[in-house]
Amino acid sequence: MIKVVFVCLGNICRSPTAEGIFRKLVNDAGLSHVIEVDSSGTSNWHVGGPPDERSTAVAKTRGIDLSSLKSRQAVTDDFHHFDYVIAMDCSNHQKLLSLCPPGREDRLRLCLSFAPSVGLTDVPDPYYGGDQGFENVTQEDTSLPYVRILGQLSAEVNEGDGKYIEGAKPGMIYNNITNEIFDGKKGIKVVVCYYKR
Ligand code: 4NP
């Protein structure tokens, strides 16, 4: 099992959305039995609560159900459990570094470092902004970090995992929406996505 957790500040906007988007990609690739997905927040402000209703509403329009998620706070043990601890911005990356046990730093990654072509380091926080910030979570169709992350992980899954796609080989990603096969190297136009200013 490869384990991935997305981490923001409140675990009610960015990281639950990332979890939902990524889980859908994993499910659609037939890899849910080999890739575990979770999210958390570096603060304890919303622990036990549901995602922000604006996030849930926008995700729903893209076929992503966030309704069963509950906020939890990131803990040091996450660096033992998860292979990839993916911070949604630099501030939370810093906070996670302070939770990280020595020798586990390589598990900590910045989400947009998987998609440098986007030209942003932080996934913008929509919490204090208007509805457009939430809308942007799923409406951009630039290349997104989640497909890249899955591309990286799929090189780690075993041959035979995932569903059979004509022409696909282990390590490739199938985008069920565009029917493209993604070799993990070239850019790809994607349908689900992330925040952009
Ligand atoms: P998130 O957004 O980190 O993407 O979940 C926020 C949620 C709540 C707050 C700030 C950011 N807050 O201040 O309560």
Side-chain angles (χ1 to χ4, degrees), residues 48-83:
D52 188 291
E53 59 190 23
R54 297 166 294 180
S55 295
T56 306
V58 172
K60 194 173 173 188
T61 68
R62 309 297 289 184
I64 294 167
D65 180 15
L66 305 183
S67 64
S68 63
L69 302 183
K70 281 193 173 45
S71 174
R72 76 168 181 90
Q73 189 171 19
V75 292
T76 295
D77 197 43
D78 288 343
F79 285 95
H80 296 294
H81 183 76
F82 294 98
D83 304 289

Side-chain angles (χ1 to χ4, degrees), residues 8-14 45-46 125 127-128:
C8 62
L9 178 59
N11 190 209
I12 59 169
C13 301
R14 291 165 294 175
W45 302 337
H46 298 275
D125 186 351
Y127 185 69
Y128 295 108

